[in-house]
DNA sequence: CATTGGTGTTGATCTGGGTCAATGCGGCCA
DNA sequence: TGGCCGCATTGACCCAGATCAACACCAATG
């Protein structure tokens, strides 16, 4: 296991950037704002690169900032004292990070691949929400979507078999990445991350991939590429 | 298993009620509003009783209304086609029900014991939120809290042992009901509901209760009462 | 080009919790 | 007062997935 002192550190860049030209804005909470408001937003935000394997925020640390993912993939996870880990989700550009009701972050957000995020202090973001209720509305909608996904994941973790879990995961990923059957789905995360997301071990994930390959549901390209070759049967294997 | 056609039906009462006098308001989203605004709210809401075992909303049904729990306990759950069930949470007075981004409810809300709820149509509630952003703020805060609880539950379902799950559940319940060690915690739900919440079977829940009783962590009063007799060891058993 | 370390796969074995089945135990109604 | 009926508990056995161990496959490094 990688401990925090082994991980690369986030590089913090200067705030000289422009929200108007931001390509993820339509996807993000900031999509709620008009041109004049974006000017205000630009002044209170700053972008930063995130090296692969580095943590944007860490569970238990004081929650001072919130972020919008600009680029890359992040994984969110919680740890138990003995090292058991549960990945609670993967974030893609446009997603919001850092919601913490209380003083501290309740999960760690670690970059799976190199990326970037847009940072606000919680205070400034709060002020922006008070000033522009549309921002709060967008955030509510984002958080609600996340809650729905979390409930779906509880069903997966509480009641699905290993095969159903992996099938559900792959279908969800394909849908989220707008891939249809036949197209390649990229899995930027490693087997350990998938296992910790699905509540399984790496061995079981690996065996289940092999079983699905043999059953003809899918083929794997290299260790990060999957092609769904029989969508119906994969759907059936997902069980719901 | 109880199918919907066997269940009692919700009784719908008239809208003649007053938000000002509402005892759960301080806990609920409506706590955001002032006296004049409550007058408006009274006009678009109506209260209804919920018989034990009846469903306030059902997974897959068109999502027309949202609710605040006034009284009683509800369980939220999702079903798989073959009947496997995951309880995603229990609601107490002040909690909000019915968030559904999309056309349909994504879970069923069923009364564990007889209770009551305050109903709004989604449209009217939306209009109220646009008019009074503070309402949206309170809802965001409620939903964020629920999301945090859902992430905690993912850790439980994905990574904890049966003993850890039950210990975590009991500690959470005691905290939520403001009970300290030595006081009785009431479990209005049956073993099947607990099992479906913790991703276990009734047999395992029962065996784990027995093991904890024998180990001296707790004693059971009747089948719905639990007294935590050794808080430290129960905390230790929760593992985190 | 050999070496090493990180990641994935496969095999053998073990076990926590599931499954199946019997029994206990009130509460309720006739 | 006895006979259900709906839970909860307990016991015996089983199995999906965990654990432990070996090995394969690069990519990076000297």
């Amino acid at each position: 296991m990688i401990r925090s002192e082994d991980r690369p550190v986030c590089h913090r860049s200067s705030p000289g950037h422009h929200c108007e030209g931001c390509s993820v804005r339509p996807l993000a909470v900031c999509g709620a704002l008009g041109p004049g408001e974006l000017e205000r937003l630009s002044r209170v935000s700053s972008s930063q690169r995130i090296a692969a394997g580095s943590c944007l925020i860490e569970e238990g640390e004081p929650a001072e900032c919130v972020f919008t993912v600009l680029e890359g993939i992040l994984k969110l996870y919680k740890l138990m004292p003995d090292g058991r880990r549960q990945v609670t989700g993967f974030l893609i550009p446009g997603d919001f990070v850092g919601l913490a009701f209380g003083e501290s972050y309740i999960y760690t957000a670690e970059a799976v691949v190199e990326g970037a995020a847009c940072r606000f202090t919680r205070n400034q973001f709060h002020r922006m929400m008070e000033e522009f209720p549309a921002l709060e509305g967008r955030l509510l909608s984002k958080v609600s979507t996340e809650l729905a996904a979390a409930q779906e994941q509880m069903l997966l973790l509480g009641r699905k078999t290993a095969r159903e879990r992996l099938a559900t995961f792959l279908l969800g990923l394909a849908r989220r990445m707008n891939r249809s059957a036949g197209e390649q789905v990229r899995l930027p995360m490693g087997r350990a991350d998938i296992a910790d997301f699905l509540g399984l071990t790496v061995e079981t994930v690996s065996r289940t991939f092999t079983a699905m390959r043999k059953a003809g549901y899918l083929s794997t390209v290299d260790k990060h590429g999957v092609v769904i070759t029989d969508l119906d049967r994969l759907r059936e294997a997902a069980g719901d």
Side-chain angles (χ1 to χ4, degrees), chain A:
Chain A
M1 170 158 312
I2 300 175
R3 266 169 306 281
S4 55
E5 51 283 15
D6 305 327
R7 290 201 207 90
V9 169
C10 286
H11 168 69
R12 313 217 144 186
S13 75
S14 66
H17 72 149
H18 305 289
C19 290
E20 293 119 280
C22 177
S23 62
V24 308
R25 186 158 47 81
L27 305 166
V29 287
C30 333
L33 303 181
E37 297 155 0
L38 286 177
E39 178 50 40
R40 290 277 331 271
L41 201 65
S42 296
R43 257 176 283 137
V44 299
S45 64
S46 66
S47 72
Q48 68 180 75
R49 307 284 325 159
I50 324 163
S54 72
C55 294
L56 190 59
I57 64 177
E58 280 181 270
E59 187 179 357
E61 293 293 303
E64 281 153 8
C65 295
V66 298
F67 304 84
T68 289
V69 179
L70 294 176
E71 194 189 318
I73 309 271
L74 299 181
K75 60 189 176 199
L76 305 185
Y77 59 81
K78 293 169 81 79
L79 287 171
M80 290 177 67
D82 63 3
R84 278 177 284 174
R85 190 175 72 144
Q86 180 64 40
V87 171
T88 57
F90 294 101
L91 298 185
I92 60 177
D95 286 340
F96 186 85
V97 202
L99 212 58
F101 278 70
E103 294 302 289
S104 315
Y105 294 120
I106 54 172
Y107 51 72
T108 299
E110 183 182 323
V112 173
V113 295
E114 206 240 342
C118 186
R119 183 176 64 239
F120 306 84
T121 67
R122 270 177 92 185
N123 289 337
Q124 281 167 329
F125 194 80
H126 239 92
R127 235 169 283 136
M128 292 295 292
M129 284 204 298
E130 279 165 13
E131 206 166 330
F132 310 118
L135 199 58
E136 193 161 59
R138 291 273 290 214
L139 183 55
L140 176 58
S141 146
K142 285 248 166 212
V143 175
S144 302
T145 305
E146 262 189 85
L147 180 59
Q151 288 168 339
E152 203 60 60
Q153 191 69 1
M154 284 193 250
L155 176 62
L156 179 147
L157 293 170
R159 291 301 180 213
K160 292 191 174 180
T161 65
R163 159 175 303 206
E164 289 168 338
R165 291 179 200 208
L166 189 58
T168 304
F169 171 66
L170 292 173
L171 289 170
L173 210 62
R175 198 170 37 74
R176 198 163 174 200
M177 302 297 186
N178 300 308
R179 293 293 188 288
S180 50
E183 288 186 276
Q184 190 184 136
V185 181
R186 291 256 101 201
L187 309 175
M189 67 292 293
R191 296 291 186 261
D193 291 336
I194 297 174
D196 284 344
F197 183 55
L198 300 180
L200 301 169
T201 59
V202 282
E203 292 94 331
T204 299
V205 170
S206 181
R207 278 186 248 274
T208 308
F209 265 118
T210 304
M212 285 182 169
R213 223 182 301 116
K214 282 181 181 162
Y217 302 173
L218 52 82
S219 59
T220 50
V221 177
D222 52 55
K223 53 188 181 182
H224 291 289
V226 170
V227 178
I228 299 173
T229 51
D230 191 334
L231 186 59
D232 290 341
R233 288 211 291 151
L234 190 63
R235 283 224 179 91
E236 198 196 309
D240 178 346

